[in-house]
Amino acid sequence: MNRVVLFWLAFILTRPFGATFGDFLIKPHDKGGLGLQNGTQIASGILLAVLIVCIVIEYAKPKSLIRSTDTAAA
């Protein structure tokens, strides 16, 4: 996963998806939600865990050797 994809994944999880997921957790049962008292804290914790897992996976992968592009003039 490259850094651009990781950025957009983090953005999507923390902005539109995070807001929708948080609303779903705290809405009452009669309005289609789960009715949790501390839904926003739970949603924040779950999304934080997902982001941490993505970052750990990214940095745990073996990195290929990066070629040096030395363009120093002699």
Side-chain angles (χ1 to χ4, degrees):
M1 188 180 317
N2 68 31
R3 291 179 185 201
V4 174
V5 172
L6 192 59
F7 167 79
W8 283 109
L9 182 63
F11 181 82
I12 290 167
L13 289 175
T14 57
R15 298 296 179 190
F17 179 74
T20 303
F21 188 65
D23 289 343
F24 170 70
L25 291 175
I26 62 174
K27 279 187 182 178
H29 290 287
D30 60 344
K31 293 188 177 183
L34 295 180
L36 299 176
Q37 295 287 49
N38 296 323
T40 55
Q41 289 90 2
I42 293 169
S44 296
I46 291 170
L47 292 174
L48 178 63
V50 169
L51 291 174
I52 289 172
V53 166
C54 289
I55 291 168
V56 167
I57 289 171
E58 173 63 24
Y59 283 102
K61 289 192 306 187
K63 304 292 180 198
S64 61
L65 295 176
I66 299 172
R67 281 190 287 179
S68 175
T69 56
D70 187 34
T71 57

